[in-house]
């Protein structure tokens, strides 16, 4: 679903028929694994691909690769190839990606508080 949202936003931007900043923002960092990647890159610094894989053990190589490419294309993450090694690169947040950290931190804090509420378990298990 999130890929569809991203594709729709990109199509609308190309057509010049787009003016919803909320949808644009969500389309850039929503989706499985992106928030985790941004969070870790922003709080811990650069990561190599294999390190991100260790942080996201349930994510496939293909998923991580696709999401990283999208984040690079969107200007949120930078890819830093190792000198002389075409396939080895580290990733870091860009100056455009850094302002997303307080938003993501707030999302994490809200979720953490919500999980502590007794009604949360009942709501999810109903």
């Amino acid at each position: 679903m999130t890929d569809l949202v991203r594709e729709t936003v990109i199509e609308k931007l190309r057509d010049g028929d787009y003016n919803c900043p909320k949808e644009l923002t969500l389309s850039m960092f929503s989706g499985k694994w992106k928030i985790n990647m941004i969070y870790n890159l922003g709080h811990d610094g650069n990561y190599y691909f294999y390190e991100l894989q260790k942080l996201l053990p349930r994510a496939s190589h293909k998923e991580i690769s696709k999401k990283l490419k999208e984040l690079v294309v969107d200007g949120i993450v930078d890819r830093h190839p190792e000198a002389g090694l075409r396939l080895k690169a580290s990733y870091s947040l860009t100056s455009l990606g850094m302002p997303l950290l307080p938003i993501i931190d707030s999302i994490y804090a809200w979720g953490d508080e919500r999980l502590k509420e007794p009604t949360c378990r009942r709501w999810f298990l109903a």
Side-chain angles (χ1 to χ4, degrees), residues 20-99:
C20 182
K22 293 177 294 225
E23 190 177 358
L24 174 66
T25 303
L26 288 175
S27 74
M28 293 181 98
F29 76 85
S30 67
K32 205 166 191 177
W33 314 120
K34 282 186 179 180
I35 288 178
N36 296 38
M37 289 179 194
I38 294 168
Y39 180 89
N40 286 302
L41 290 169
H43 286 287
D44 301 332
N46 293 11
Y47 275 100
Y48 288 102
F49 187 92
Y50 73 91
E51 293 172 318
L52 287 169
Q53 276 188 304
K54 286 180 183 178
L55 290 172
L56 307 166
R58 292 167 50 190
S60 71
H61 182 281
K62 184 179 176 180
E63 287 175 306
I64 295 171
S65 179
K66 180 180 181 197
K67 299 308 177 189
L68 278 172
K69 285 177 185 173
E70 289 175 1
L71 289 168
V72 169
V73 166
D74 292 342
I76 294 171
V77 169
D78 266 337
R79 183 178 186 275
H80 310 279
E82 291 278 323
L85 299 171
R86 188 175 66 87
L87 296 178
K88 189 168 184 180
S90 64
Y91 296 88
S92 65
L93 277 189
T94 64
S95 58
L96 182 66
M98 289 302 282

